[in-house]
Amino acid sequence: MDHFPSAGMSSTPPQRTGPRDPGDAWVEGDRGRYWGRFGAAGVLAWDPAKGVLLQHRAVWSHNGGTWGLPGGALHQGEEPVDGALREAYEEAAVPSESVEVLFTSVLDHGYWSYTTVVVRVRESFEPVISDPESIALLWIPVAEVEALDLHPGFAAAWPELLAQLDTGEPW
């Protein structure tokens, strides 16, 4: 299942072998430095039977070793929902035909934005580590998410995302 068994544990990124997309760049402003020249997006996949799909980020990545969402930089002109679904497929083999978009949440700093695309899993699937950006991909019960060492951006967004995610479960 893990095609890159040691890549996520290394402290140095793997050597890039293909062309870089123009969106793959850092932007800086008064609120900090962020990845994604045209913004970024990620998928919060919720399966009522399993919980939410989280990515244990490679140590070499920004905020490496934390848990967050499969996602990344948007391509120029790419809609955030399309970019989030593309990134989730590239990083975790999330099949877009097996999920339905419930809502989006946008953090907008003016010079950079991040869109969280919350989806409900309609047809169960198992995630697959398909690039070196992940140590692990796991379904985490919703009630256990806060116990993990979360990516700071996801940690800040999680309470509101959870409030909007009507899981039908008591907290």
Side-chain angles (χ1 to χ4, degrees), residues 13-37:
Q15 186 160 2
R16 193 165 223 9
T17 57
R20 184 178 289 275
D21 185 86
D24 290 343
W26 291 99
V27 295
E28 294 187 46
D30 60 346
R31 292 189 174 188
R33 182 176 187 228
Y34 298 96
W35 183 251
R37 185 172 164 213

Side-chain angles (χ1 to χ4, degrees), residues 57-145:
R57 298 168 56 82
V59 175
W60 55 263
S61 67
H62 186 59
N63 292 301
T66 61
W67 290 86
L69 305 178
L74 296 174
H75 293 174
Q76 188 170 12
E78 185 174 43
E79 291 297 319
V81 170
D82 296 333
L85 291 171
R86 174 187 51 77
E87 284 282 345
Y89 182 76
E90 289 174 4
E91 293 184 2
V94 175
S96 61
E97 66 277 3
S98 296
V99 300
E100 69 175 307
V101 175
L102 296 178
F103 63 91
T104 62
S105 177
V106 180
L107 170 67
D108 190 348
H109 289 323
Y111 64 95
W112 181 85
S113 65
Y114 185 91
T115 302
T116 302
V117 179
V118 179
V119 301
R120 180 186 175 122
V121 175
R122 291 182 304 157
E123 187 176 325
S124 186
F125 65 90
E126 286 305 314
V128 176
I129 294 176
S130 52
D131 76 8
E133 296 179 27
S134 302
I135 295 170
L137 295 164
L138 295 175
W139 292 102
I140 306 295
V142 173
E144 296 176 20
V145 169

